[in-house]
Amino acid sequence: MNSNYNICVIDDDDIYQFTIVKILKSIDLDKKISLFSDGEEALEFLIDNLYNNEELPDVIFLDINMPIMDGFQFMEEYVKIKPKLNKKITIYMVSSSVDPVDIERAKNISDISDYIIKPIKAGQLQEIMNNL
């Protein structure tokens, strides 16, 4: 398996960030992990690195409920910059929300690969990374 993936986690929960980093390191998938507490920070990072594929993530794990810019707002802005990206970025929405409205809304956004209900497990992460 190729473990040379840049991984981006956009989530305001410090414990979740700590946990997912530990899991990624335990399955040797920690080439580069970028952590952001809200969608706006992450979007600014993507815009600043539009043409820098070494910095851009291969996969984004995106939470829904965050301050400043939530996951759905992030996706609205991401769609606008996506045509400028020279790299395919796979996005997974990862949330503790089991609300059918959130799940359906995420599934209706073509740039979201899947909706994962927290907590995400090592086996799920391994499978996601294997499928990239």
Side-chain angles (χ1 to χ4, degrees):
M1 172 179 40
N2 178 359
S3 62
N4 294 321
Y5 292 117
N6 287 345
I7 300 164
C8 176
V9 177
I10 308 170
D11 196 304
D12 64 324
D13 182 339
D14 294 338
I15 295 168
Y16 172 75
Q17 284 187 358
F18 175 81
T19 305
I20 195 167
V21 168
K22 289 291 257 189
I23 293 170
L24 288 165
K25 288 183 177 188
S26 76
I27 54 179
D28 199 28
L29 294 172
D30 60 326
K31 174 193 172 203
K32 179 165 195 256
I33 303 171
S34 301
L35 302 172
F36 300 97
S37 296
D38 66 70
E40 187 176 64
E41 282 180 21
L43 190 66
E44 286 173 8
F45 174 80
L46 293 178
I47 291 168
D48 289 346
N49 290 284
L50 270 180
Y51 307 106
N52 185 351
N53 287 351
E54 288 298 310
E55 289 297 316
L56 287 173
D58 296 291
V59 62
I60 294 174
F61 295 102
L62 175 65
D63 187 26
I64 293 177
N65 298 312
M66 295 175 287
I68 304 172
M69 179 185 281
D70 70 24
F72 290 119
Q73 292 168 325
F74 172 85
M75 289 307 301
E76 287 172 18
E77 296 304 315
Y78 174 81
V79 169
K80 295 174 188 172
I81 66 164
K82 183 183 175 190
K84 298 176 187 168
L85 295 169
N86 292 322
K87 184 175 191 177
K88 180 184 183 308
I89 300 174
T90 304
I91 301 175
Y92 289 90
M93 192 157 266
V94 183
S95 178
S96 54
S97 172
V98 293
D99 184 338
V101 174
D102 285 341
I103 295 168
E104 190 61 32
R105 187 173 174 195
K107 290 190 184 290
N108 287 327
I109 299 172
S110 62
D111 289 307
I112 295 178
S113 295
D114 202 359
Y115 187 96
I116 301 168
I117 296 170
K118 290 179 184 175
I120 193 165
K121 296 170 184 61
Q124 285 176 294
L125 278 174
Q126 186 91 49
E127 188 177 323
I128 287 167
M129 301 313 286
N130 287 341
N131 292 331
L132 280 182

